[in-house]
Amino acid sequence: MSIREPSTRQTPPGATNPLEMALHQFDTAVGQMPGLEQGIIDMMRETKRELTVNFPVKMDNGSVQVFTGYRVHHSTLRGPSKGGIRYSPDVTLDMMRAMAMWMTWKCAVVNLPFGGAKGGVIVDPKALSRRELEHLTRRYTSEISILISPQGDIPAPDLGTDPQVMAWIMDTYSMHRGYSTPAVVTGKPLEIGGSQGRFEAPGRGVMFVAREALKRMGKSIEGATVAVQGFGQVGRTVASLTQGKGASIVAVSDSQGGVHNPHGLDIELLIQHKQRTGSVVGFPGAEGLTNAELVTLPVDVLVPAATENQITRYNADHIQAPLVVEAANGPITPEADQILRDKGILIIPDILANTGGVTVSYFEWVQGLQHFFWTERETNERLRDIMLRAYESVARIGEQRRVDMRTAAYFVAIQRVYDATKIRGIYP
Ligand code: NAD
């Protein structure tokens, strides 16, 4: 397993149930899209199918423990459903529903031929041995194998899962089939059909959109000050790549706390410090700060890259960054979203900003189906083109309809799913 820390289970004040948040965002957008047929709106508001599995795992001490997992499909109208698998004690069916729905909109915003799905198991992966984790993954894969396939539903990593877990999923599915099926899952290790650039892709996509947003604000990423909340796969890649483009990363944090240096942090040294000590806390040459302090710093760009519900009605008024790029899923509650907009803060929404991962997952799936693999340069260039095209289409709709970027992204996504439904027609 790669570096994984204990999950932070405290729910911030003002937090919103993710499903309520997803539906609120959908309803807000649809309320401003006259002329859509009500029956199709109702269809898009619901998940397509939901599977709950309760399954046993034999633990190292010989006991049998029963775990609960889910796989939810929100939509398969534009192609197979796509979405990560989360291992966390915080997993709920509502969380899966919300995230499956977000995946539909994400894939539609960047115009990938996918619908949305999400899966998860209620488990703290840190509390399991490697053997237990493998057995849990293989049994969960067997249980959800009635839904997953290269043509039907393609899982990927999310919080608490990593390329090794994806390898076990691919192997288990392949054992059932009797032949190797790399395209059943993405985010795999390179050795078994993973894509070059997949690990950095979510962070790289965030860097592309942050740079584009700054450019459109008449600013440059060079010299821009950036604060990144969360220093996992996404957060540390964003920090490293934006620093590589000349930005000054003045603060980062993880679940244990943060570090701040107004003159900029050396991200490569900080990554090594975290690998050594398990946290960014205590990094030499930087002052400590809390997560609450980090999000209110007067920086050019704030990147929440940790978990949902980090900016709520309780702290939104104190946010000073003129640009917030949502690397995490749902880091800003709807109430906070309104407060930030009233303050004139530009928010690049998650369904646009953090689609780099799913876009390179799409590339990995295509490469797996064709058994023909691209270089990292080709992957990164195609990712940049897709992200910038998506940014342009959202910004254009935003300007035409005079709405914020989140609403515009929903307009683009919902319209694409709506059009696909109308063209396909209602079966039978
Ligand atoms: P990760 O587990 O690798 O890292 C999460 C980081 O956030 C860790 O450093 C953790 O310590 C920190 N963290 C947790 N709670 C925190 C808190 N309250 N305050 C500050 N830091 C906290 O996860 P990741 O893959 O980097 O994902 C981060 C976010 O990005 C999630 O919302 C995830 O859904 C989203 N996302 C991930 C991907 C992907 O492919 N990895 C793609 C799109 C979106």
Side-chain angles (χ1 to χ4, degrees):
M1 296 289 288
S2 59
I3 328 167
R4 289 282 167 204
E5 312 138 28
S7 82
T8 44
R9 302 203 57 191
Q10 75 271 32
T11 306
T16 308
N17 169 314
L19 185 59
E20 280 170 27
M21 195 193 292
L23 290 175
H24 174 89
Q25 289 164 346
F26 175 76
D27 292 340
T28 304
V30 162
Q32 299 169 67
M33 297 175 75
L36 301 188
E37 208 176 294
Q38 188 57 44
I40 295 179
I41 294 174
D42 294 344
M43 196 176 151
M44 290 191 286
R45 215 176 175 279
E46 296 288 343
T47 53
K48 177 183 170 73
R49 51 172 83 96
E50 305 176 343
L51 177 65
T52 299
V53 293
N54 300 302
F55 59 94
V57 176
K58 198 177 276 182
M59 309 304 280
D60 288 349
N61 65 8
S63 68
V64 172
Q65 200 174 318
V66 176
F67 291 88
T68 299
Y70 306 102
R71 186 73 187 165
V72 172
H73 292 178
H74 173 256
S75 171
T76 55
L77 280 158
R78 289 169 39 88
S81 57
K82 187 89 191 76
I85 289 181
R86 179 171 290 204
Y87 287 174
S88 161
D90 303 333
V91 162
T92 63
L93 186 51
D94 271 359
M95 179 194 278
M96 300 293 102
R97 290 169 171 146
M99 292 190 161
M101 195 176 198
W102 279 321
M103 283 306 296
T104 300
W105 311 137
K106 277 187 200 190
C107 293
V109 167
V110 277
N111 218 358
L112 306 179
F114 287 139
K118 199 77 182 185
V121 178
I122 305 171
V123 59
D124 178 0
K126 291 290 285 180
L128 300 186
S129 70
R130 185 182 163 89
R131 188 195 147 281
E132 289 168 339
L133 192 68
E134 178 175 351
H135 284 209
L136 174 131
T137 299
R138 289 185 181 279
R139 182 63 189 246
Y140 168 67
T141 305
S142 295
E143 298 289 342
I144 64 164
S145 64
I146 53 172
L147 291 188
I148 63 172
S149 71
Q151 294 76 28
D153 175 24
I154 307 130
D158 189 60
L159 292 180
T161 60
D162 66 2
Q164 177 61 69
V165 171
M166 299 305 114
W168 289 326
I169 294 176
M170 179 273 206
D171 187 68
T172 304
Y173 184 86
S174 299
M175 288 297 131
H176 285 197
R177 296 271 127 187
Y179 50 86
S180 272
T181 315
V184 70
V185 69
T186 61
K188 298 181 294 296
L190 277 177
E191 294 82 347
I192 56 165
S195 177
Q196 298 284 352
R198 172 62 183 86
F199 183 83
E200 298 82 15
R204 189 177 295 279
V206 171
M207 182 273 285
F208 286 140
V209 296
R211 187 174 62 177
E212 184 65 16
L214 283 167
K215 196 169 120 198
R216 287 168 183 247
M217 291 165 89
K219 298 180 182 177
S220 168
I221 194 163
E222 234 182 295
T225 53
V226 181
V228 182
Q229 186 199 37
F231 205 61
Q233 177 180 351
V234 181
R236 68 177 188 266
T237 310
V238 174
S240 173
L241 293 179
T242 49
Q243 184 165 74
K245 296 291 174 201
S248 174
I249 317 303
V250 297
V252 304
S253 63
D254 58 30
S255 55
Q256 299 178 40
V259 284
H260 178 217
N261 182 342
H263 304 296
L265 300 158
D266 184 322
I267 298 304
E268 295 318 309
L269 288 181
L270 188 52
I271 290 171
Q272 289 167 21
H273 173 82
K274 177 154 176 142
Q275 265 158 356
R276 247 189 345 265
T277 66
S279 171
V280 297
V281 173
F283 181 58
E287 285 172 16
L289 91 172
T290 63
N291 268 296
E293 288 164 344
L294 178 137
V295 294
T296 60
L297 285 175
V299 287
D300 295 312
V301 190
L302 172 64
V303 182
T307 53
E308 55 281 353
N309 287 320
Q310 292 305 305
I311 302 177
T312 68
R313 66 175 186 272
Y314 293 104
N315 61 359
D317 217 19
H318 303 296
I319 306 296
Q320 299 189 66
L323 172 63
V324 182
V325 184
E326 290 186 327
N329 286 310
I332 303 176
T333 66
E335 287 164 316
D337 198 61
Q338 186 61 50
I339 297 169
L340 297 189
R341 271 187 276 143
D342 291 346
K343 281 164 66 85
I345 293 173
L346 175 62
I347 302 165
I348 309 301
D350 46 8
I351 64 165
L352 170 62
N354 72 26
T355 48
V358 70
T359 302
V360 175
S361 269
Y362 164 60
F363 297 161
E364 182 178 332
W365 177 71
V366 167
Q367 293 170 78
L369 290 175
Q370 297 182 340
H371 304 281
F372 177 70
F373 292 89
W374 311 347
T375 63
E376 184 167 0
R377 190 154 158 236
E378 282 173 283
T379 309
N380 292 345
E381 283 174 359
R382 286 184 162 130
L383 172 64
R384 184 199 55 214
D385 291 351
I386 287 185
M387 299 287 308
L388 294 186
R389 215 178 304 144
Y391 193 108
E392 169 59 26
S393 56
V394 171
R396 199 177 46 241
I397 293 289
E399 278 159 27
Q400 279 169 5
R401 300 283 311 274
R402 294 178 188 280
V403 293
D404 61 285
M405 288 287 278
R406 190 186 311 282
T407 309
Y410 272 91
F411 283 176
V412 169
I414 292 168
Q415 192 67 53
R416 284 182 177 153
V417 176
Y418 182 87
D419 290 346
T421 316
K422 286 293 280 182
I423 292 164
R424 284 180 63 154
I426 302 296
Y427 175 84

